[in-house]
Amino acid sequence: AMATIDYDGKIVGVVGGLGEKTADRSLNRAVDSVRPVGSTMKPIGAYAPAIDMGYINYSTGLPDMPFKKIKDPKTNEERDWPFNYSRTYTETNIPVVHAIEQSLNTIAVWTVDMLGPENAYDFLTNTLNISTLVPADIDHGPMALGSLSYGISPLEMAAAYAMFGNGGVYTTPYCYTTVETAQGDVILEKQVTTVQAISEDTAYIMNRALRTVIASGTAARVGGPSRMDSVGKTGTT
């Protein structure tokens, strides 16, 4: 599934499944289906609001070490949490930009701890209009690592990420403006909301940090040798 929007919030492309379209109003996975978002939650649930509220900046050093001990559900033994993808820790402070580039779970969790899971949840639901979060998601794991009760649709994720290339502006995604009769009478009009979700400075900082993901980080093979300036984030789920 894939959703593409422009910076004005217009939905310009949607792919909701594979193969030929054989039915009307059938399941559109880009709009109707939600999935766990994994590490793609980190920029919108942890880093952007934490930078915007002044808790961290591009080069803040945070500890690459476990946040707490938890009981392993399989063995019932205590283990460190969270794991990094590599299952290792450097036990040193890592700059935020490198944590984003390498998608370190530890740094994202420490960031959400500084920000507060409640503030992260409020930002996602009330500013970015993520509609599928529930109060049970107000915790470090869901807000930092995307381990949500349900998930988020590709369309709502695209709308949230647009602020990183749009000076921090969020716009409700939409696919029409008005529906009119043949005589020009308006019978439906789309209510579009535009807000300054994060400051222009925060958006620029995040944009440059997310560029490292494509240029040399976890998605470097996706970026390849292209001369197009691209930004993005991986999510293992």
Side-chain angles (χ1 to χ4, degrees):
M2 179 176 178
T4 305
I5 64 174
D6 69 12
Y7 287 127
D8 294 324
K10 300 186 191 76
I11 300 171
V12 297
V14 172
V15 176
L18 295 174
E20 183 180 352
K21 183 175 181 290
T22 58
D24 293 329
R25 300 181 64 82
S26 58
L27 177 65
N28 184 327
R29 292 171 182 81
V31 177
D32 302 321
S33 295
V34 296
R35 291 289 185 271
V37 295
S39 291
T40 54
M41 178 63 90
K42 293 171 183 174
I44 60 175
Y47 296 119
I51 291 172
D52 209 52
M53 295 180 190
Y55 289 101
I56 60 171
N57 57 48
Y58 185 89
S59 55
T60 299
L62 293 175
D64 178 28
M65 59 184 64
F67 177 72
K68 63 180 180 179
K69 296 279 189 180
I70 64 169
K71 275 195 174 182
D72 191 306
K74 294 182 179 178
T75 64
N76 208 34
E77 295 178 355
E78 282 198 338
R79 65 170 176 83
D80 293 331
W81 184 88
F83 280 133
N84 286 322
Y85 184 78
S86 65
R87 294 294 197 272
T88 62
Y89 310 100
T90 63
E91 302 286 343
T92 60
N93 284 352
I94 302 293
V96 164
V97 60
H98 294 318
I100 293 173
E101 177 186 14
Q102 299 301 322
S103 199
L104 297 178
N105 293 336
T106 49
I107 309 299
V109 169
W110 285 107
T111 298
V112 166
D113 189 60
M114 297 169 65
L115 173 65
E118 298 84 0
N119 288 329
Y121 182 87
D122 179 73
F123 176 73
L124 291 166
T125 55
N126 293 325
T127 301
L128 299 184
N129 290 330
I130 304 296
S131 63
T132 47
L133 304 185
V134 295
D137 295 326
I138 304 175
D139 205 348
H140 293 74
M143 294 296 95
L145 308 179
S147 53
L148 302 171
S149 300
Y150 299 104
I152 303 175
S153 72
L155 179 62
E156 289 193 349
M157 286 296 284
Y161 264 71
M163 65 181 175
F164 298 134
N166 194 28
V169 174
Y170 168 87
T171 300
T172 308
Y174 62 97
C175 55
Y176 73 94
T177 52
T178 59
V179 177
E180 303 175 4
T181 66
Q183 290 72 39
D185 298 323
V186 175
I187 56 176
L188 281 177
E189 188 167 5
K190 181 67 175 178
Q191 298 301 313
V192 178
T193 302
T194 298
V195 297
Q196 189 74 42
I198 53 177
S199 71
E200 288 188 37
D201 287 346
T202 298
Y204 181 78
I205 291 168
M206 286 299 304
N207 185 290
R208 295 299 83 188
L210 291 169
R211 184 180 184 276
T212 68
V213 178
I214 305 296
S216 57
T218 54
R221 285 178 294 177
V222 177
S226 171
R227 295 178 182 177
M228 179 182 292
D229 191 25
S230 304
V231 304
K233 183 70 189 76
T234 54
T236 307
T237 178

